[in-house]
Amino acid sequence: SLRDTKSVSFGNIYSYAKEAGLKTGVRPALILGVLAEESNLGQNIGTGNWKTDMKSPRDTVPFQKITAKLGLNPDTQPVSKKPWYGWGGAMGPAQFIPSTWVLYEERIAVASGQNPADPWDPRTAAFATALLMADNGADQQTPAAERLAALRYLAGWTNARKPAYAFYGDDVMALADKFQKDIEVLGG
């Protein structure tokens, strides 16, 4: 099972990616590629604390609302640590920042059937990733569109083409290629 998430096997996370892909038009392998790049498929959802690692109040206020809605203690809920290049505070396997999560949570709830939507739930994270990637253009299913969508996932639309972020798009696409080969071996 994957370490920091609710107990989930690779077979289950693949199943969630297939289900989310059917609803959004995003390839399951690409969804897995993003989840692997963000959190190693949920194995590393962060060791940060919302009080020190989030951009306040842009994300601290939504984070408190999200955890309250889910009945979680914000002080013990893991988030990403602040990295050298930006802010921390990203949540769950999909590593959504709270201010982005609140923009998507209704759509995630509808698509996944989980209301309230839980960013720490692996199935819900697959749907969140798929929705954001589709909005970023990954549903076109071309390598260029998928790579650009991945860059937008990390850096937003304004910063997606900055050379400093190219590593992310390259990493996601390499992971997606690996997962696609695995999926083909499984007959999917």
Side-chain angles (χ1 to χ4, degrees):
S1 65
L2 303 178
R3 187 187 75 213
D4 290 339
T5 63
K6 296 175 183 177
S7 183
V8 62
S9 67
F10 177 79
N12 284 342
I13 198 81
Y14 170 54
S15 174
Y16 305 151
K18 283 193 326 189
E19 184 183 3
L22 285 173
K23 289 201 176 194
T24 61
V26 176
R27 288 187 310 126
L30 184 63
I31 297 166
L32 293 171
V34 172
L35 291 171
E37 181 68 12
E38 288 292 331
S39 68
N40 197 16
L41 299 175
Q43 290 185 58
N44 179 15
I45 59 172
T47 58
N49 180 278
W50 72 280
K51 290 179 182 177
T52 56
D53 295 301
M54 283 186 190
K55 186 172 185 178
S56 181
R58 181 193 78 182
D59 290 313
T60 58
V61 171
F63 180 76
Q64 290 174 309
K65 289 179 181 177
I66 292 163
T67 54
K69 191 182 298 185
L70 295 169
L72 301 171
N73 180 346
D75 295 332
T76 59
Q77 204 56 34
V79 297
S80 65
K81 289 191 86 54
K82 183 178 176 178
W84 62 268
Y85 55 83
W87 290 95
M91 306 176 299
Q95 291 291 281
F96 266 58
I97 60 171
S99 56
T100 302
W101 183 264
V102 296
L103 295 174
Y104 276 82
E105 82 181 312
E106 287 297 320
R107 289 177 57 204
I108 295 165
V110 169
S112 69
Q114 181 183 19
N115 195 1
D118 180 348
W120 292 278
D121 180 81
R123 181 175 172 273
T124 307
F127 278 91
T129 299
L131 287 166
L132 181 53
M133 289 295 285
D135 285 356
N136 288 345
D139 55 343
Q140 295 175 32
Q141 294 192 11
T142 67
E146 290 179 343
R147 184 177 182 280
L148 181 57
L151 289 165
R152 290 171 175 163
Y153 192 98
L154 173 72
W157 284 57
T158 303
N159 295 317
R161 295 189 190 272
K162 289 187 176 179
Y165 300 120
F167 74 93
Y168 186 89
D170 296 342
D171 288 354
V172 168
M173 294 307 292
L175 288 163
D177 288 347
K178 174 194 156 309
F179 285 120
Q180 188 62 51
K181 289 175 184 158
D182 293 344
I183 290 167
E184 289 167 7
V185 167
L186 296 172

PDB file of all heavy atoms in Angstrom, residues 37-57:
ATOM      1  N   GLU A  37       4.839  12.348 -10.074  1.00  0.00           N
ATOM      2  CA  GLU A  37       5.757  13.487  -9.948  1.00  0.00           C
ATOM      3  C   GLU A  37       5.443  14.299  -8.696  1.00  0.00           C
ATOM      4  O   GLU A  37       6.349  14.768  -8.011  1.00  0.00           O
ATOM      5  CB  GLU A  37       5.665  14.375 -11.198  1.00  0.00           C
ATOM      6  CG  GLU A  37       6.592  15.556 -11.184  1.00  0.00           C
ATOM      7  CD  GLU A  37       8.074  15.212 -11.291  1.00  0.00           C
ATOM      8  OE1 GLU A  37       8.436  14.056 -11.602  1.00  0.00           O
ATOM      9  OE2 GLU A  37       8.893  16.112 -11.054  1.00  0.00           O
ATOM     10  N   GLU A  38       4.176  14.480  -8.404  1.00  0.00           N
ATOM     11  CA  GLU A  38       3.772  15.301  -7.263  1.00  0.00           C
ATOM     12  C   GLU A  38       4.020  14.631  -5.921  1.00  0.00           C
ATOM     13  O   GLU A  38       4.439  15.292  -4.971  1.00  0.00           O
ATOM     14  CB  GLU A  38       2.288  15.676  -7.381  1.00  0.00           C
ATOM     15  CG  GLU A  38       1.989  16.687  -8.460  1.00  0.00           C
ATOM     16  CD  GLU A  38       2.547  18.062  -8.157  1.00  0.00           C
ATOM     17  OE1 GLU A  38       2.679  18.429  -6.970  1.00  0.00           O
ATOM     18  OE2 GLU A  38       2.877  18.780  -9.121  1.00  0.00           O
ATOM     19  N   SER A  39       3.733  13.327  -5.825  1.00  0.00           N
ATOM     20  CA  SER A  39       3.781  12.696  -4.498  1.00  0.00           C
ATOM     21  C   SER A  39       4.211  11.233  -4.525  1.00  0.00           C
ATOM     22  O   SER A  39       3.993  10.526  -3.547  1.00  0.00           O
ATOM     23  CB  SER A  39       2.399  12.788  -3.837  1.00  0.00           C
ATOM     24  OG  SER A  39       1.465  11.973  -4.539  1.00  0.00           O
ATOM     25  N   ASN A  40       4.805  10.792  -5.636  1.00  0.00           N
ATOM     26  CA  ASN A  40       5.134   9.379  -5.784  1.00  0.00           C
ATOM     27  C   ASN A  40       3.900   8.523  -5.539  1.00  0.00           C
ATOM     28  O   ASN A  40       3.897   7.597  -4.740  1.00  0.00           O
ATOM     29  CB  ASN A  40       6.303   8.973  -4.893  1.00  0.00           C
ATOM     30  CG  ASN A  40       6.918   7.655  -5.316  1.00  0.00           C
ATOM     31  OD1 ASN A  40       6.683   7.184  -6.427  1.00  0.00           O
ATOM     32  ND2 ASN A  40       7.698   7.054  -4.438  1.00  0.00           N
ATOM     33  N   LEU A  41       2.831   8.889  -6.234  1.00  0.00           N
ATOM     34  CA  LEU A  41       1.529   8.209  -6.145  1.00  0.00           C
ATOM     35  C   LEU A  41       0.988   8.192  -4.712  1.00  0.00           C
ATOM     36  O   LEU A  41       0.358   7.236  -4.283  1.00  0.00           O
ATOM     37  CB  LEU A  41       1.599   6.786  -6.709  1.00  0.00           C
ATOM     38  CG  LEU A  41       1.986   6.669  -8.184  1.00  0.00           C
ATOM     39  CD1 LEU A  41       2.133   5.205  -8.582  1.00  0.00           C
ATOM     40  CD2 LEU A  41       0.980   7.376  -9.077  1.00  0.00           C
ATOM     41  N   GLY A  42       1.227   9.265  -3.997  1.00  0.00           N
ATOM     42  CA  GLY A  42       0.706   9.387  -2.644  1.00  0.00           C
ATOM     43  C   GLY A  42       1.649   8.937  -1.547  1.00  0.00           C
ATOM     44  O   GLY A  42       1.327   9.061  -0.370  1.00  0.00           O
ATOM     45  N   GLN A  43       2.823   8.446  -1.906  1.00  0.00           N
ATOM     46  CA  GLN A  43       3.760   7.986  -0.882  1.00  0.00           C
ATOM     47  C   GLN A  43       4.389   9.137  -0.110  1.00  0.00           C
ATOM     48  O   GLN A  43       4.863   8.950   1.000  1.00  0.00           O
ATOM     49  CB  GLN A  43       4.849   7.122  -1.510  1.00  0.00           C
ATOM     50  CG  GLN A  43       4.332   5.787  -1.989  1.00  0.00           C
ATOM     51  CD  GLN A  43       5.446   4.912  -2.483  1.00  0.00           C
ATOM     52  OE1 GLN A  43       6.375   4.616  -1.737  1.00  0.00           O
ATOM     53  NE2 GLN A  43       5.367   4.487  -3.717  1.00  0.00           N
ATOM     54  N   ASN A  44       4.412  10.333  -0.700  1.00  0.00           N
ATOM     55  CA  ASN A  44       5.014  11.477  -0.021  1.00  0.00           C
ATOM     56  C   ASN A  44       4.092  12.683  -0.174  1.00  0.00           C
ATOM     57  O   ASN A  44       4.218  13.455  -1.122  1.00  0.00           O
ATOM     58  CB  ASN A  44       6.394  11.774  -0.600  1.00  0.00           C
ATOM     59  CG  ASN A  44       7.045  12.961   0.069  1.00  0.00           C
ATOM     60  OD1 ASN A  44       6.620  13.405   1.134  1.00  0.00           O
ATOM     61  ND2 ASN A  44       8.071  13.491  -0.551  1.00  0.00           N
ATOM     62  N   ILE A  45       3.175  12.835   0.755  1.00  0.00           N
ATOM     63  CA  ILE A  45       2.230  13.949   0.668  1.00  0.00           C
ATOM     64  C   ILE A  45       2.676  15.150   1.498  1.00  0.00           C
ATOM     65  O   ILE A  45       1.975  16.145   1.571  1.00  0.00           O
ATOM     66  CB  ILE A  45       0.792  13.519   1.043  1.00  0.00           C
ATOM     67  CG1 ILE A  45       0.718  12.957   2.454  1.00  0.00           C
ATOM     68  CG2 ILE A  45       0.265  12.525   0.015  1.00  0.00           C
ATOM     69  CD1 ILE A  45      -0.685  12.700   2.949  1.00  0.00           C
ATOM     70  N   GLY A  46       3.859  15.060   2.080  1.00  0.00           N
ATOM     71  CA  GLY A  46       4.428  16.220   2.749  1.00  0.00           C
ATOM     72  C   GLY A  46       4.638  16.037   4.229  1.00  0.00           C
ATOM     73  O   GLY A  46       3.984  15.237   4.888  1.00  0.00           O
ATOM     74  N   THR A  47       5.577  16.846   4.735  1.00  0.00           N
ATOM     75  CA  THR A  47       5.889  16.857   6.161  1.00  0.00           C
ATOM     76  C   THR A  47       5.792  18.276   6.708  1.00  0.00           C
ATOM     77  O   THR A  47       6.315  18.564   7.771  1.00  0.00           O
ATOM     78  CB  THR A  47       7.302  16.297   6.412  1.00  0.00           C
ATOM     79  OG1 THR A  47       8.240  17.096   5.682  1.00  0.00           O
ATOM     80  CG2 THR A  47       7.408  14.841   5.994  1.00  0.00           C
ATOM     81  N   GLY A  48       5.136  19.137   5.947  1.00  0.00           N
ATOM     82  CA  GLY A  48       5.010  20.531   6.349  1.00  0.00           C
ATOM     83  C   GLY A  48       3.825  20.770   7.259  1.00  0.00           C
ATOM     84  O   GLY A  48       2.993  19.894   7.495  1.00  0.00           O
ATOM     85  N   ASN A  49       3.771  22.000   7.775  1.00  0.00           N
ATOM     86  CA  ASN A  49       2.690  22.452   8.634  1.00  0.00           C
ATOM     87  C   ASN A  49       2.078  23.704   8.014  1.00  0.00           C
ATOM     88  O   ASN A  49       2.803  24.592   7.554  1.00  0.00           O
ATOM     89  CB  ASN A  49       3.222  22.756  10.034  1.00  0.00           C
ATOM     90  CG  ASN A  49       2.132  23.227  10.963  1.00  0.00           C
ATOM     91  OD1 ASN A  49       1.756  24.399  10.957  1.00  0.00           O
ATOM     92  ND2 ASN A  49       1.618  22.306  11.745  1.00  0.00           N
ATOM     93  N   TRP A  50       0.786  23.788   8.034  1.00  0.00           N
ATOM     94  CA  TRP A  50       0.088  24.897   7.380  1.00  0.00           C
ATOM     95  C   TRP A  50       0.494  26.253   7.932  1.00  0.00           C
ATOM     96  O   TRP A  50       0.529  27.234   7.198  1.00  0.00           O
ATOM     97  CB  TRP A  50      -1.422  24.694   7.467  1.00  0.00           C
ATOM     98  CG  TRP A  50      -2.008  24.892   8.836  1.00  0.00           C
ATOM     99  CD1 TRP A  50      -2.013  24.004   9.866  1.00  0.00           C
ATOM    100  CD2 TRP A  50      -2.668  26.046   9.306  1.00  0.00           C
ATOM    101  NE1 TRP A  50      -2.637  24.535  10.960  1.00  0.00           N
ATOM    102  CE2 TRP A  50      -3.066  25.798  10.641  1.00  0.00           C
ATOM    103  CE3 TRP A  50      -2.975  27.279   8.755  1.00  0.00           C
ATOM    104  CZ2 TRP A  50      -3.743  26.730  11.420  1.00  0.00           C
ATOM    105  CZ3 TRP A  50      -3.668  28.204   9.527  1.00  0.00           C
ATOM    106  CH2 TRP A  50      -4.037  27.923  10.836  1.00  0.00           C
ATOM    107  N   LYS A  51       0.840  26.321   9.203  1.00  0.00           N
ATOM    108  CA  LYS A  51       1.158  27.611   9.820  1.00  0.00           C
ATOM    109  C   LYS A  51       2.474  28.198   9.314  1.00  0.00           C
ATOM    110  O   LYS A  51       2.622  29.415   9.263  1.00  0.00           O
ATOM    111  CB  LYS A  51       1.214  27.471  11.343  1.00  0.00           C
ATOM    112  CG  LYS A  51      -0.146  27.225  11.966  1.00  0.00           C
ATOM    113  CD  LYS A  51      -0.025  27.076  13.466  1.00  0.00           C
ATOM    114  CE  LYS A  51      -1.378  26.772  14.080  1.00  0.00           C
ATOM    115  NZ  LYS A  51      -1.271  26.549  15.529  1.00  0.00           N
ATOM    116  N   THR A  52       3.417  27.352   8.938  1.00  0.00           N
ATOM    117  CA  THR A  52       4.726  27.853   8.521  1.00  0.00           C
ATOM    118  C   THR A  52       4.996  27.718   7.033  1.00  0.00           C
ATOM    119  O   THR A  52       5.863  28.415   6.512  1.00  0.00           O
ATOM    120  CB  THR A  52       5.857  27.115   9.276  1.00  0.00           C
ATOM    121  OG1 THR A  52       5.720  25.713   9.054  1.00  0.00           O
ATOM    122  CG2 THR A  52       5.800  27.417  10.759  1.00  0.00           C
ATOM    123  N   ASP A  53       4.273  26.845   6.351  1.00  0.00           N
ATOM    124  CA  ASP A  53       4.615  26.549   4.965  1.00  0.00           C
ATOM    125  C   ASP A  53       3.662  27.124   3.917  1.00  0.00           C
ATOM    126  O   ASP A  53       3.974  27.092   2.730  1.00  0.00           O
ATOM    127  CB  ASP A  53       4.728  25.032   4.768  1.00  0.00           C
ATOM    128  CG  ASP A  53       5.878  24.462   5.578  1.00  0.00           C
ATOM    129  OD1 ASP A  53       7.010  24.900   5.348  1.00  0.00           O
ATOM    130  OD2 ASP A  53       5.641  23.606   6.445  1.00  0.00           O
ATOM    131  N   MET A  54       2.518  27.653   4.333  1.00  0.00           N
ATOM    132  CA  MET A  54       1.546  28.191   3.385  1.00  0.00           C
ATOM    133  C   MET A  54       1.669  29.687   3.220  1.00  0.00           C
ATOM    134  O   MET A  54       2.077  30.393   4.133  1.00  0.00           O
ATOM    135  CB  MET A  54       0.122  27.897   3.851  1.00  0.00           C
ATOM    136  CG  MET A  54      -0.307  26.503   3.604  1.00  0.00           C
ATOM    137  SD  MET A  54      -2.040  26.306   4.020  1.00  0.00           S
ATOM    138  CE  MET A  54      -2.157  24.543   3.901  1.00  0.00           C
ATOM    139  N   LYS A  55       1.267  30.143   2.034  1.00  0.00           N
ATOM    140  CA  LYS A  55       1.193  31.571   1.771  1.00  0.00           C
ATOM    141  C   LYS A  55      -0.064  32.092   2.453  1.00  0.00           C
ATOM    142  O   LYS A  55      -1.169  31.696   2.133  1.00  0.00           O
ATOM    143  CB  LYS A  55       1.141  31.858   0.267  1.00  0.00           C
ATOM    144  CG  LYS A  55       1.217  33.328  -0.049  1.00  0.00           C
ATOM    145  CD  LYS A  55       1.350  33.543  -1.540  1.00  0.00           C
ATOM    146  CE  LYS A  55       1.558  35.007  -1.826  1.00  0.00           C
ATOM    147  NZ  LYS A  55       1.742  35.242  -3.262  1.00  0.00           N
ATOM    148  N   SER A  56       0.108  32.967   3.387  1.00  0.00           N
ATOM    149  CA  SER A  56      -1.010  33.456   4.193  1.00  0.00           C
ATOM    150  C   SER A  56      -1.495  34.790   3.647  1.00  0.00           C
ATOM    151  O   SER A  56      -0.690  35.588   3.204  1.00  0.00           O
ATOM    152  CB  SER A  56      -0.518  33.632   5.629  1.00  0.00           C
ATOM    153  OG  SER A  56      -1.547  34.088   6.454  1.00  0.00           O
ATOM    154  N   PRO A  57      -2.775  35.088   3.682  1.00  0.00           N
ATOM    155  CA  PRO A  57      -3.934  34.228   3.985  1.00  0.00           C
ATOM    156  C   PRO A  57      -4.506  33.543   2.748  1.00  0.00           C
ATOM    157  O   PRO A  57      -5.538  32.879   2.826  1.00  0.00           O
ATOM    158  CB  PRO A  57      -4.938  35.204   4.574  1.00  0.00           C
ATOM    159  CG  PRO A  57      -4.675  36.488   3.858  1.00  0.00           C
ATOM    160  CD  PRO A  57      -3.183  36.513   3.598  1.00  0.00           C
TER     161      PRO A  57
END
